[in-house]
Amino acid sequence: MKLGFACKYLDSELKQVFPFRATTRTRFLSLPDEEKIKLIHELATVNLTNLFLTLEQLALLPDPLRMMRIGSDLLPLYTVPDATILYKTFLPDLYPLFKKCGDFSRKNNIRLSFHPGQYSVLASDNPLVVERAIEDVEYHALCAKLMGYGQTFQDFKINIHMNGKKGFEGFKNSFGKLSPEAKLMLTVENDEISCSLDEVLQARALCPIVLDIHHHWVKENAFIQPDDPRIAVVKESWKDVRPVLHYSISQEGIIPDQGWPEQSLLGVPKTKLRAHSNYYFNDTLNEWALSFSEFDIMCEVKMKNLARDRLYEYYLHRQES
């Protein structure tokens, strides 16, 4: 079992060690073309360099901790049309950095992924939203391809939600418009508002299903268990690749420190239950997440790798006792 973290690698003082840099669309568009190119070239170079430095740190850790989600702003503003054109003038200069990151990750068995933002809605009933969503997925696929991925089924994971008024049929239609590489990398997860696990499972023939156990609890008020028949369907969608689940819990002070939280007793709206905690403070829920022993776990928690590391220590202690 691998335990991953999302986007930011923190030190013991809660500072991001190798931060990605970004800029605003407003600032970018206010500059003349030469300065625009200079800005995004510099930012992309810094981000790829810091990604590699992060990967180097992961390679020093035990194998179960070599898993991360890369931030979407690797190439800042790439999908802004004015920036997309300018990136084409210098993107080949960045190829060696991309390749360096990909080669190093494969050599050191680091499992990587992207998670495009909530506004990437392939099942929207608005054609312009769908068009932008496809562009966003293809941007992430491009970054993965430049690192040498997208060659085999799920050698890299690009995860999105299946929200949108057109539901599965809209998702299926948009999926068909993706590049072959994007199709190999795309996964879809259940969410806490619009798409239940049962609804997302409709996509299992198209792409793997990422199980989010916290989303399922918030939406269904049920703690799904590894022996639930749907779990077998989720695993089948991954074929011969180890499946991934997402693990988060509600914030400190919202749910108890121990035991199974009961929504009817908490007296808070689902909107508050959605927010992620700083750390994994409830060992009942930790036991629950770790009981999905055939899955790798992406830890969606505010303290990133620090919280993930505590969960790993709990896992080791659990194994020893």
Side-chain angles (χ1 to χ4, degrees):
M1 176 184 287
K2 286 185 183 290
L3 303 176
F5 69 96
C7 305
K8 297 179 181 180
Y9 189 78
L10 304 178
D11 64 16
S12 58
E13 297 180 352
L14 309 184
K15 295 180 180 178
Q16 190 174 356
V17 185
F18 307 113
F20 279 12
R21 292 178 57 196
T23 188
T24 65
R25 179 180 180 135
T26 301
R27 181 193 174 198
F28 170 78
L29 293 176
S30 71
L31 300 173
D33 279 356
E34 286 189 10
E35 292 187 34
K36 286 177 182 174
I37 293 173
K38 181 180 178 181
L39 175 63
I40 56 177
H41 187 289
E42 177 185 344
L43 294 176
T45 301
V46 168
N47 291 349
L48 283 162
T49 300
N50 282 350
L51 172 59
F52 182 77
L53 293 173
T54 304
L55 295 171
E56 283 190 315
Q57 292 299 306
L58 294 189
L60 299 175
L61 300 177
D63 187 77
L65 300 181
R66 299 182 188 183
M67 177 179 176
M68 74 170 291
R69 176 187 299 163
I70 303 171
S72 290
D73 52 356
L74 190 59
L75 299 180
L77 302 180
Y78 184 88
T79 56
V80 174
D82 295 65
T84 307
I85 295 171
L86 297 180
Y87 265 108
K88 291 179 180 178
T89 66
F90 66 84
L91 192 59
D93 297 343
L94 302 177
Y95 288 177
L97 282 173
F98 274 106
K99 185 176 186 300
K100 185 178 180 181
C101 290
D103 289 348
F104 186 84
S105 295
R106 285 183 290 275
K107 179 180 178 181
N108 290 280
N109 195 29
I110 300 173
R111 190 170 192 179
L112 298 176
S113 64
F114 281 123
H115 194 339
Q118 59 181 327
Y119 300 110
S120 293
V121 183
L122 292 179
S124 174
D125 59 346
N126 184 329
L128 292 179
V129 171
V130 172
E131 182 180 337
R132 289 195 294 269
I134 291 174
E135 289 174 354
D136 195 32
V137 170
E138 293 294 354
Y139 152 66
H140 289 84
L142 171 65
C143 291
K145 285 188 291 184
L146 292 177
M147 285 188 277
Y149 296 101
Q151 299 185 26
T152 60
F153 177 76
Q154 283 301 309
D155 59 1
F156 194 104
K157 167 173 158 274
I158 300 175
N159 184 66
I160 64 171
H161 292 202
M162 200 180 77
N163 53 340
K165 291 185 178 180
K166 287 197 171 183
F168 170 65
E169 288 304 319
F171 179 84
K172 180 180 179 180
N173 184 60
S174 297
F175 183 88
K177 298 177 182 179
L178 296 175
S179 66
E181 295 87 354
K183 290 178 181 177
L184 287 173
M185 293 185 277
L186 199 72
T187 63
V188 63
E189 72 169 294
N190 57 299
D191 68 60
E192 70 275 62
I193 301 297
S194 59
C195 280
S196 68
L197 177 59
D198 291 325
E199 291 170 310
V200 171
L201 282 173
Q202 296 175 90
R204 64 186 181 276
L206 297 178
C207 62
I209 307 302
V210 170
L211 170 67
D212 191 306
I213 56 176
H214 180 65
H215 286 172
H216 185 78
W217 173 68
V218 172
K219 185 169 178 60
E220 307 293 338
N221 192 21
F223 293 96
I224 193 168
Q225 299 298 322
D227 60 356
D228 188 295
R230 291 169 292 183
I231 301 304
V233 180
V234 169
K235 290 188 290 188
E236 287 172 4
S237 72
W238 287 84
K239 301 179 182 178
D240 294 327
V241 176
R242 188 176 178 89
V244 175
L245 69 77
H246 290 176
Y247 175 42
S248 57
I249 63 175
S250 300
Q251 291 179 329
E252 291 84 349
I254 299 293
I255 61 172
D257 291 349
Q258 294 294 334
W260 300 100
E262 174 50 59
Q263 290 188 24
S264 63
L265 301 178
L266 297 175
V268 297
K270 286 182 180 288
T271 52
K272 283 195 174 182
L273 297 178
R274 296 167 59 190
H276 296 169
S277 64
N278 291 320
Y279 291 96
Y280 295 118
F281 56 87
N282 183 312
D283 285 344
T284 302
L285 298 181
N286 292 338
E287 285 287 343
W288 172 50
L290 294 170
S291 71
F292 290 85
S293 58
E294 296 181 64
F295 288 73
D296 286 347
I297 298 177
M298 176 54 68
C299 298
E300 296 188 321
V301 63
K302 289 182 180 178
M303 289 298 105
K304 307 298 181 180
N305 55 293
L306 300 181
R308 183 276 312 266
D309 292 350
R310 289 189 186 183
L311 182 63
Y312 180 60
E313 291 168 5
Y314 176 82
Y315 169 77
L316 292 179
H317 177 73
R318 177 175 173 263
Q319 295 294 99
E320 294 169 357
S321 60

